[in-house]
Each structure stands twice: as structure tokens, then as C-alpha cells.
Amino acid sequence: MERAKPSAIDRATALRYMGASGWQPDDATTALLDRAEKVILSAATPRAAVRRLPRGVFPPPELDCGADLTRHLQGCNAVLLMAATLGSQVDSLLRRLELTDIATAAAADALSSVLLEQVCDELEAEWRSHFAAEHLYLTGRYAPGYGDCPLELNDELCLAVDTVRGCGLAVTPQHLLAPRKSTTAILGIADHPVTGTLAGCTTCHLRETCSFRKQGTTCFAK
């Protein structure tokens, strides 16, 4: 299903992704961000697909998905599978910029990542409201590749949601997502308040090489 595009992209978060957290952009940087935001919003065609499944069905019992996802879904009797993408035109735009304008490419890459998160945040908020009417609760989003959860779970998740037809998202032989600016997530559903595994460095497989940690911050810091 198609999703509405936010009217603006969160630049503070984009600057953090670019390694400039807390920095007040000068006129040149503002102009760069203006240019990059304009082309990203023009190229993006956000789409998403979701599916609700019983906890005993997903993750597949025969697949070892690690202890972190098990903890995330503790106390949940169902899951909500989510997939979202900005579309292939954003991929084409980023590839072209990487060859012709590296500064704009870097800004556009960060802004598109933030835009994807905003799309997912809005989708999650809608489903939280939907489940609240049923007196049900959701955990936060948890994606294959977090902690000790294998990327291979992307294959099963996208198959279960039928992302190719649902939102134009496919999985590569390396279990990565295509288009590039796409994401998947698993949210637990319970009849009582649950949080799941909150975002943090301890569950991130990039924690030892993270550029944010080297600067004394995190990618999820507000």
C-alpha cells in the first residue's frame, strides 16, 4: 500500500547520521540540505505492507532467530510484521549523485534514511491506535540483523508479508533488502503493556565499530 510522504524530513536526525550532531548548520550546509531534501521528497514513493500472525507461526519454529528476538517477544501471543520502502527511484537518485555530486549524495543518503524512519514511525503509530481499540499493546520495532537475530529472517518475513506484491520490496541472496532504502520490522502484540528490547548499543552488531560511540553519542539519542 502507498504511504503519504511527510512534508519535511527531520534535519537534526539527518545531521546526526552525518556525524554533525548538535551542530548548527551554516548557510552553505542549509542550502545543501535544502537541495538534497527536495530531490529525495520528489523521488520517494513510500509504500508499506503489514501482516499479523500468531506467535507460534512467526518466527518459524525451525529457524534459530537468537535469544534477543525471543526476549523482545516475551509475553506476546502474536506478532505484527512490517515492511516499508522508499522505492527504486531513490536508489537510482543516490547512485547518480554518488557519481556526480558527492556532497549532495551524503546529505541525500542521510535524509532518505530519516525519511524511511518517519514513514515507519507513522505506520507504527497507526497500528498502535488500531490495537489500542482492541485493548492490545505493541512492543517497539525489532529488525532482522539486530543483536543475534540473523539477517536470514528477512527471507521469511518478506515471504510472510508478500512484500514483492505488497510494496515492491525484494530480498537479495545475501538477505539484504532491495530497494536499498527499505526496512523490515517485527513488533510483538500482547494483552498487557510490553516494551520488548529497547534500542541500545548492547544489542547492536556494529557497536565495536560505531562512529556514533566514538563521538560519545548514539544513533538513537534524541
Side-chain angles (χ1 to χ4, degrees), residues 47-49 82-86 116 119-120 123 167 169 181-184:
R47 300 182 70 192
M82 179 188 300
T85 181
L86 297 185
L116 181 60
V119 169
C120 290
L123 181 61
C167 61
L169 191 163
K181 292 301 178 180
S182 304
T183 191
T184 56

Side-chain angles (χ1 to χ4, degrees), residues 1-6 44-52 80-88 115-127 141 157-158 160-170 177-179 181-185 187:
M1 60 181 171
E2 292 188 5
R3 302 290 304 175
K5 278 184 277 193
T45 53
R47 300 182 70 192
V50 297
R51 187 178 182 187
R52 177 179 179 176
L80 183 70
L81 306 181
M82 179 188 300
T85 181
L86 297 185
S88 59
L115 177 60
L116 181 60
E117 286 298 308
Q118 290 179 220
V119 169
C120 290
D121 288 345
E122 290 181 4
L123 181 61
E124 180 183 333
E126 290 174 12
W127 279 96
R141 301 194 297 268
L157 191 157
C158 290
V161 179
D162 192 6
T163 57
V164 172
R165 289 191 295 178
C167 61
L169 191 163
L177 303 177
K181 292 301 178 180
S182 304
T183 191
T184 56
L187 299 90

Side-chain angles (χ1 to χ4, degrees), residues 92-153:
S92 299
L93 170 65
L94 292 175
R95 285 194 296 268
R96 185 167 65 251
L97 289 173
E98 286 164 359
L99 295 173
T100 60
D101 188 342
I102 193 63
T104 303
D109 185 79
L111 287 163
S112 58
S113 293
V114 176
L115 177 60
L116 181 60
E117 286 298 308
Q118 290 179 220
V119 169
C120 290
D121 288 345
E122 290 181 4
L123 181 61
E124 180 183 333
E126 290 174 12
W127 279 96
R128 283 191 183 279
S129 178
H130 171 81
F131 284 119
E134 301 180 26
H135 304 289
L136 296 173
Y137 301 84
L138 284 173
T139 67
R141 301 194 297 268
Y142 196 98
Y146 284 7
D148 61 0
C149 183
L151 275 175
E152 286 84 346
L153 189 57

Side-chain angles (χ1 to χ4, degrees), residues 203-217:
T203 61
C204 180
H205 63 289
L206 296 176
R207 59 185 176 272
E208 299 302 328
T209 58
C210 177
S211 59
F212 293 107
R213 282 164 58 85
K214 291 177 182 177
Q215 298 169 20
T217 185

